Amino acid sequence: MSENTPLRLGIAGLGTVGTGVVKIIRQQAALLSARAGRDVVITAVSARDQSRDRGVSLTGYAWETDAVALAKRDDVDVFVELIGGDTGVAKDAVEAALALGKDVVTANKALLAHHGQSLAEMAENNGSVIRYEAAVAGGIPVIKSLLEGLAGNEITRVMGVMNGTCNYILTNMEKSGRGYNALFDECAELGYLEADPNLDVGGIDAGHKLALLASIAFGTQVDFDAVELEGIQRIELQDIKHAAEMGFRIKLLGVTQMTGRGLEQRMTPCLVPAESPLGQLEGGTNMVVIEGNHVEQVVLRGPGAGMGPTASAVMGDVMDIARGIRIPTFGVPAAKLQKATSAKAASPAPFYLRVGLHDKPGAMAKIATILGEAGISIDRMRQLSHADETAPVLIVTHKCMRQSLDEALHTIAQSKVVATAPVALRIENL
Amino acid sequence: MSENTPLRLGIAGLGTVGTGVVKIIRQQAALLSARAGRDVVITAVSARDQSRDRGVSLTGYAWETDAVALAKRDDVDVFVELIGGDTGVAKDAVEAALALGKDVVTANKALLAHHGQSLAEMAENNGSVIRYEAAVAGGIPVIKSLLEGLAGNEITRVMGVMNGTCNYILTNMEKSGRGYNALFDECAELGYLEADPNLDVGGIDAGHKLALLASIAFGTQVDFDAVELEGIQRIELQDIKHAAEMGFRIKLLGVTQMTGRGLEQRMTPCLVPAESPLGQLEGGTNMVVIEGNHVEQVVLRGPGAGMGPTASAVMGDVMDIARGIRIPTFGVPAAKLQKATSAKAASPAPFYLRVGLHDKPGAMAKIATILGEAGISIDRMRQLSHADETAPVLIVTHKCMRQSLDEALHTIAQSKVVATAPVALRIENL
């Protein structure tokens, strides 16, 4: 593709994000052209339903019912994949585009989290690039910052709150005093949930994002299966209340760092200091913290979802391609990405535990004994008043390894003193 | 420059930042090479004093005493200008490099704020690029975010706290209760001040940065002379105390936006809500807020100065060049940058005023009358207790235009009731 010729996009998927991209290109053609040094045009689109009114004109674009056919069109230079899903037509169409040497822009975190390595290899073998700014943290240019802006650093840690729906639920539980289920239902009504809600509240969507950031940060092959994943479904109002009393808020927090034992990747609900930037993050906003050996710490905050912000990220990638920016998918050639040893939770931390005990004498002593035998020392322990026969006990441990704790919790769960499975939340003193 | 051949740097200026860049390249050669797809090497350096021990080896680099000679060397592909200053050798050397079609990486905000347009034209005429991430907000990849990541947006406003020294002074006045002069002296001792301290505390340095961001954001020719500039030298402890009582903090805040009257660019001390992200920013940290018509709002926070962060930004630019990223200096070709009409302070706001009155009957009435005649209505007015013959009066106005206020303040200053020149600070309800 030489400069000055128009860059021709084929857009597959005309949901919220796809429609947003079409709007930007129709409304701001002159501005985009001035910045890119060439026109950026849509030649063809595809979606399941051609008849639906999307609030934007599709006049002048060829229509394909099949995204793979769209990807293969001669008049498409860049295949913009906004279908979603880690298998099926999204993957087929991306592969078809790459096989023909076309560039790909995608917002599909699941696809890259599961097939990032093979797709990166395929892209490089065919002289294509894959860009995916919209896949992580919505409108925040976090991929660009990590991949390019901070390329002079050895990255030491990346952290973030990267699922707006979970953060909306958690912050509104605290604000409104309503429980998890009520806020889950509200999110469903507001359209904040993925078709499979477990992608959101189970931490999977945010885990996908973390796996992509880890690959760029540490030059490793994307390894989503190695992410320690835990959702927010078991967080109760009392957890949020007790966290607040200790000066903390509960966030679905992603952390990845390279440790002596291997690559740590975790996306789990954590207690973070209420006064920290991550603790203060409210609603659907996302935040990513990048730490490097020279830059110290950079914090990026912005909208994690929505038509405008996500389309903005897609357009950032399109503009990069229009301007001739061509960088390997994860920052170094795919063949140079290392297979990292996984260290799911390599660093010790204090934990917050909530255990529901049968209200019988000796139950608390039993728990304390099991923890002690596992080498986990207790900082604070407190039995709460209760109306029924299950007595909630809150425990804050001293620093321990998650693995030791899990073993102890397994023993606790099997003991006869426990009425409900324990909840364990890491305390992250940022 | 083809790929796979080493990218050869000539580094002019071996102060803190230059030394930091040398350290990164010596310590992380393999990492940089893997990411850039080619080696990044230093071939020559220049500085005033060859004998000084900089804590890093300069072995293997040619030494030039003259930066212009360095810029012209055949074995230099990229001229890295870390000398500083808007005239003299820095400008001569950058022009010499551009004239020979070499790329330039610089941290020199003054040079670009004063000569950005002519240098951008020169670069484009010679097929060179100029990169300057380190010129604005230290280690934060803000230029890259604005120029590239958010290129799909019509930018609506950019705001920021971009001088760490001023923020250090202002936050420590509040924290320690020490006055401006004591903290100014402390900054001098800590080496936080530019050789000409007025660049920092007069707001000039931050104004340079704002002018560069405005050019990228709005596609306009850099126009530093049109920045409404005001330093922090007249801020007193009582201003900080009274701002805090109203729920505000005082920050040297930059704001630029395109208004119906033209381009607004101001870098002035403002009252911002204490609970806002900008209000909470402490010490030498910088923050830039970018608002676009699609992305809504992105907030970037990080270290605004220091060896590591600034060298990180320089290296981000070097890596971009090594990877073949070539974008016009301010995002669109220099010939397409518009000459903007200047609207120094186009948007109305409430203001905080402190006026030192001669303690005589009728003085307050006189002030109120002058403001009223200028069409400025008063929200609150309060005379403070005082030990000497000057009675400080605090006034919070309703929304008004800065120009009307300035006219009224001029009248007030000339009236016989005033003992000291009034202080007026904009209240920015972010």
Side-chain angles (χ1 to χ4, degrees), chain B residues 146-185:
Chain B
L146 192 57
L147 194 67
E148 302 170 27
L150 302 175
N153 289 268
E154 187 180 303
I155 301 298
T156 48
R157 184 166 68 161
V158 180
M159 299 187 291
V161 169
M162 294 181 269
N163 184 283
T165 303
C166 288
N167 205 49
Y168 180 90
I169 291 174
L170 292 171
T171 53
N172 280 288
M173 282 172 76
E174 178 166 358
K175 280 192 171 176
S176 71
R178 287 182 292 157
Y180 171 82
N181 290 331
L183 280 152
F184 178 91
D185 292 346

Side-chain angles (χ1 to χ4, degrees), chain B residues 17-147:
Chain B
V17 182
T19 305
V21 171
V22 174
K23 281 187 180 167
I24 293 178
I25 291 174
R26 291 191 84 93
Q27 289 168 6
Q28 296 182 177
L31 181 66
L32 299 175
S33 176
R35 287 180 180 161
R38 60 200 291 197
D39 289 341
V40 175
V41 300
I42 298 168
T43 46
V45 297
S46 82
R48 273 179 296 200
D49 180 0
Q50 189 169 1
S51 61
R52 186 155 71 88
D53 179 8
R54 294 175 169 88
V56 62
S57 168
L58 301 174
T59 308
Y61 311 149
W63 183 277
E64 295 280 357
T65 44
D66 175 15
V68 175
L70 179 78
K72 290 181 174 173
R73 285 178 67 100
D74 286 339
D75 59 2
V76 166
D77 303 314
V78 180
F79 179 64
V80 182
E81 187 275 301
L82 303 170
I83 302 165
D86 63 321
T87 54
V89 67
K91 180 161 181 274
D92 295 344
V94 164
E95 288 176 346
L98 295 176
L100 290 167
K102 298 176 193 292
D103 296 330
V104 170
V105 172
T106 179
N108 192 334
K109 56 224 81 166
L111 178 67
L112 289 172
H114 287 284
H115 308 290
Q117 182 64 23
S118 65
L119 292 173
E121 287 170 9
M122 194 172 172
E124 286 165 39
N125 292 337
N126 291 282
S128 304
V129 295
I130 305 175
R131 303 286 292 190
Y132 50 98
E133 185 63 82
V136 180
I140 308 173
V142 57
I143 301 280
K144 179 167 276 286
S145 295
L146 192 57
L147 194 67

Side-chain angles (χ1 to χ4, degrees), chain A residues 385-396:
Chain A
S385 59
H386 52 103
D388 56 18
E389 287 179 358
T390 303
V393 172
L394 301 184
I395 299 166
V396 175

Side-chain angles (χ1 to χ4, degrees), chain A residues 106-124:
Chain A
T106 179
N108 192 334
K109 58 225 80 167
L111 178 67
L112 289 172
H114 286 284
H115 307 290
Q117 182 64 21
S118 65
L119 292 173
E121 287 171 9
M122 194 172 173
E124 285 166 38

Side-chain angles (χ1 to χ4, degrees), chain A residues 28 35 144 148 153 293, chain B residues 28 35 144 148 153 293:
Chain A
Q28 295 182 180
R35 287 181 180 160
K144 180 168 275 285
E148 303 170 25
N153 288 266
N293 63 338
Chain B
Q28 296 182 177
R35 287 180 180 161
K144 179 167 276 286
E148 302 170 27
N153 289 268
N293 63 338

Side-chain angles (χ1 to χ4, degrees), chain B residues 250-402:
Chain B
I250 299 175
K251 299 287 171 190
L252 179 64
L253 181 71
V255 177
T256 178
Q257 56 192 331
M258 188 60 79
T259 74
R261 299 168 181 226
L263 178 64
E264 181 170 353
Q265 299 181 88
R266 51 190 161 85
M267 181 59 70
T268 61
C270 291
L271 275 67
V272 302
E275 293 307 310
S276 66
L278 282 162
Q280 290 174 334
L281 195 70
E282 297 200 338
T285 309
N286 280 198
M287 180 177 282
V288 181
V289 179
I290 305 174
E291 295 172 350
N293 63 338
H294 304 297
V295 78
E296 299 166 8
Q297 186 186 70
V298 170
V299 180
L300 312 173
R301 186 167 72 83
M307 176 186 285
T310 314
S312 164
V314 170
M315 285 309 302
D317 285 343
V318 167
M319 293 296 282
D320 274 1
I321 290 173
R323 284 163 154 174
I325 297 181
R326 306 188 73 75
I327 295 176
T329 312
F330 299 104
V332 303
K336 288 198 177 177
L337 292 164
Q338 305 290 312
K339 250 187 153 15
T341 307
S342 166
K344 287 211 171 183
S347 44
F351 281 83
Y352 161 97
L353 308 179
R354 172 169 50 83
V355 189
L357 297 183
H358 294 300
D359 195 5
K360 288 177 185 166
M364 271 182 82
K366 177 79 179 166
I367 299 296
T369 305
I370 294 172
L371 288 171
E373 283 169 0
I376 294 162
S377 62
I378 293 170
D379 178 29
R380 278 171 278 176
M381 189 166 187
R382 179 177 156 203
Q383 179 162 335
L384 301 179
S385 60
H386 51 103
D388 56 17
E389 287 178 358
T390 303
V393 173
L394 302 184
I395 300 167
V396 175
T397 73
H398 284 293
K399 271 192 182 181
C400 64
M401 297 300 288
R402 176 79 202 215

